[in-house]
């Protein structure tokens, strides 16, 4: 099988992470040839790493040696770069969020159809170990049918200091982190969304949202609470998931947490009322010791190949993409709807 | 000052807790004379404690020695008992939820007005130490203006096994525990509710809700997430509260938890990006060490007298009640609205 030569468009934090960490450089499948970035400083860094410096996007697109590009520029430039690259005969890997809205994405997808080239969005967090654990619990019914999913990321640093503060570049946390959490969720639950209630946060005074909370119900009965925060000095768990026979909590990306499951034993004592504040409660008392047990987390395993391996197989072997464009569109449509409903109030 | 003689109507879990723990028996202010309960078993227990056994509510109401009653019967019987007692010239302390809905409460309040007798609802969780800590943070702006409040109680025992399973008796968790959390919240925030989005849980198959989630926005900008769960084998914190300058988390009634606040120092290093799952993030990276500090919780102090002391002062000295009937009505109206919106879907 022949190597796919890549050029990286936008050699910032994510672009350089792709160039040096994600695109599997040691394999016989990929080679990162060069980068295009408008910043002279970034060009120098790229040169220092031995990569070719392209002077313009045109120069990349005219380079017959380049078969695929990675787009890691600000969100508002994805559409134009993607369309020009597809029309120039390149395959495209695009950072998330794929575009500013579904109208833009539909323009891209029309050109995908027209050209037959591959266009794949880097929804890499489908491979996050914490998500893979939740996915296994969901699919294997380890704690019974899962009916409630709370998925949160919380930081205390506000919005990072660059174009992510600006609306015209597609800044804000719903597009930046929301797209990850919603992509994971919709892929996991795989049932039509029935209702969404959202609230965007503007507490930091930026023109874009510094976080949000969304409560989503799915047609299959699953409920989800999705939250991104950038003003959280102490955190709630990354995942809090309720099944009919137990509850799982993953605190953070370090995979600390616990699964507590019902033993189903019939001979257990009723819970003893506890003093709770100035009152008594049986309802909120801990269950008797025999009624529950602690389970170990499953190993975070994916039953699907890594992102770039899949991209290679899609390009060379016509394999099914793991991140499908119709799934990406569904997530972006949900984001469109959240913006619309929140701006209407 | 003369003693107020009490009779306890409904000598179950809460009634006996009032009779023996809450009504200050050692003081010169109160005396619990006797109880009325339809259960022979409960009558025997009451007799064993040296309390007079009333054979009927009428007997209580005709007893000129009784000045006040405590109502701790199932929720659907509060209204009739309260109205008859008020008309019989008794003062009334009523367990929560005060009534099945605001229509019922309005009937009671009309008789309160007509008779001039005291009617106070035992919203005792305004005195909970965890709530008093949150209230001090809110009022003293220890972590700046608080703009987000998450208040949860979570158990793993389902709904307790009696009339609380039944709709006609006013069962379900919104009326049972929701009324506490909403009473605390509305009293704390003291701003009109702007919007409410709620979802009742029926996962256990009861005819009444086994929990709920409500997202509430207030006119002053505060957001609140209120949750009661009875299918939670591991818990989220009792309180999670965000201020402009810090975040507080109280895990449980044991008052464990933490407050992390911004130091406001200008010379702190920017956060270093961390590996998070398969990606990098600066946004969700921990702030640099100098940027935050851990604060101690304030002592849980109330700047208002205990419930029964207040009741005594209201009856004998015309003091202002701490739990005002218009506040109780506001909470019940919110509960009515939540039921209505959820049943409409």
């Amino acid at each position: 099988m022949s190597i796919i030569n890549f050029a990286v468009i936008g050699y910032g934090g994510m672009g350089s992470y792709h160039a040096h960490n994600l695109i599997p450089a040691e394999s016989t499948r990929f080679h990162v040839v060069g980068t295009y970035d408008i910043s002279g400083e970034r060009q120098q860094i790229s040169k220092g790493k031995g990569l070719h410096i392209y002077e313009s996007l045109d120069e990349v697109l005219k380079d017959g040696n380049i078969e695929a590009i990675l787009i890691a520029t600000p969100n508002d430039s994805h559409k134009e770069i993607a369309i020009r690259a597809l029309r120039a005969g390149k395959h495209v890997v695009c950072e998330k969020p794929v575009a500013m809205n579904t109208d833009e994405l539909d323009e891209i997808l029309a050109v995908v159809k027209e050209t037959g080239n591959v266009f794949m969005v880097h929804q890499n967090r489908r491979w996050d170990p914490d998500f893979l654990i939740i996915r296994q619990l969901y699919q294997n019914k380890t704690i019974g049918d899962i009916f409630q999913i709370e998925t949160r990321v919380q930081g205390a640093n506000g919005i990072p200091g660059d174009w992510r503060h600006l609306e015209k570049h597609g800044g804000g946390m719903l597009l930046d982190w929301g797209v990850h959490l919603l992509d994971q969720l919709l892929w996991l639950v795989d049932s039509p969304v029935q209702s969404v209630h959202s609230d965007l946060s503007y507490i930091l005074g930026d023109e874009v949202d510094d976080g949000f909370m969304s409560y989503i119900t799915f047609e299959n009965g699953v409920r989800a609470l999705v939250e991104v925060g950038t003003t959280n000095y102490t955190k709630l768990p990354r995942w809090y998931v309720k099944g009919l026979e137990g509850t799982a909590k993953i605190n953070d990306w370090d995979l600390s947490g616990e699964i507590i499951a019902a033993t189903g034993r019939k001979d257990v004592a009723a819970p003893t009322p506890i003093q709770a504040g100035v009152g008594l409660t049986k309802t909120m008392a801990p269950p008797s010791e025999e009624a529950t047990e602690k389970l170990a987390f499953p190993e975070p395993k994916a039953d699907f190949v890594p992102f770039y391996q899949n991209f290679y197989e899609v390009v060379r072997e016509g394999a099914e993409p793991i991140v499908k464009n119709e799934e990406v569109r569904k997530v972006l449509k949900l984001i469109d709807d959240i913006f619309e409903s929140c701006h209407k109030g």
Side-chain angles (χ1 to χ4, degrees), chain A residues 191-341:
Chain A
S191 169
V193 169
Q194 193 170 57
S195 74
V196 188
H197 183 79
S198 304
D199 191 26
L200 298 172
S201 165
Y202 292 91
I203 204 81
L204 295 175
D206 287 287
E207 64 182 37
V208 296
D209 69 284
D210 51 56
F212 68 93
M213 212 180 263
S214 280
Y215 189 81
I216 301 176
T217 63
F218 292 90
E219 285 185 10
N220 67 359
V222 171
R223 266 72 174 146
L225 186 67
V226 184
E227 187 190 350
V228 175
T230 57
T231 54
N232 303 60
Y233 293 88
T234 176
K235 296 179 179 197
L236 291 176
R238 171 72 185 84
W239 294 95
Y240 182 80
V241 171
K242 289 170 67 174
L244 287 175
E245 295 153 23
T247 306
K249 178 160 75 175
I250 300 181
N251 294 325
D252 214 332
W253 287 293
D254 66 1
L255 307 185
S256 68
E258 63 178 6
I259 305 177
I260 307 292
T263 57
R265 282 175 55 176
K266 300 289 177 204
D267 59 336
V268 301
T272 313
I274 55 163
Q275 182 79 33
V278 297
L280 290 180
T281 180
K282 189 161 68 178
T283 316
M284 301 303 157
S288 73
E289 211 172 299
E290 305 77 29
T292 64
E293 61 184 337
K294 201 167 171 159
L295 302 184
F297 283 126
E299 279 300 304
K301 274 185 201 150
D303 56 357
F304 45 96
V305 301
F307 180 86
Y308 272 105
Q309 182 182 334
N310 179 238
F311 178 74
Y312 190 90
E313 290 170 1
V314 171
V315 170
R316 286 282 181 269
E317 302 161 20
E320 193 73 352
I322 291 163
V323 180
K324 295 181 179 57
N325 290 327
E326 59 264 33
E327 295 164 350
V328 169
R329 191 183 188 283
K330 225 176 265 180
V331 171
L332 198 57
K333 180 68 174 66
L334 184 54
I335 290 175
D336 282 359
D337 291 347
I338 292 172
F339 276 128
E340 201 196 328
S341 74

Side-chain angles (χ1 to χ4, degrees), chain A residues 132-198:
Chain A
L132 293 175
I133 289 174
I134 297 299
R135 189 166 181 265
Q136 281 164 284
L137 297 181
Y138 190 91
Q139 294 183 338
N140 301 339
K141 301 183 192 291
T142 317
I143 50 172
D145 280 307
I146 285 175
F147 61 93
Q148 186 174 318
I149 299 168
E150 302 187 26
T151 169
R152 294 177 174 82
V153 290
Q154 299 180 325
N157 306 316
I159 304 172
D162 53 12
W163 57 265
R164 286 181 175 82
H165 286 269
L166 303 173
E167 195 173 357
K168 66 172 179 176
H169 291 308
M173 281 300 124
L174 177 56
L175 279 168
D176 191 21
W177 265 99
V179 73
H180 280 308
L181 302 196
L182 294 170
D183 179 72
Q184 289 177 333
L185 182 69
L186 266 55
W187 195 50
L188 177 71
V189 176
D190 193 24
S191 169
V193 169
Q194 193 170 57
S195 74
V196 188
H197 183 79
S198 304

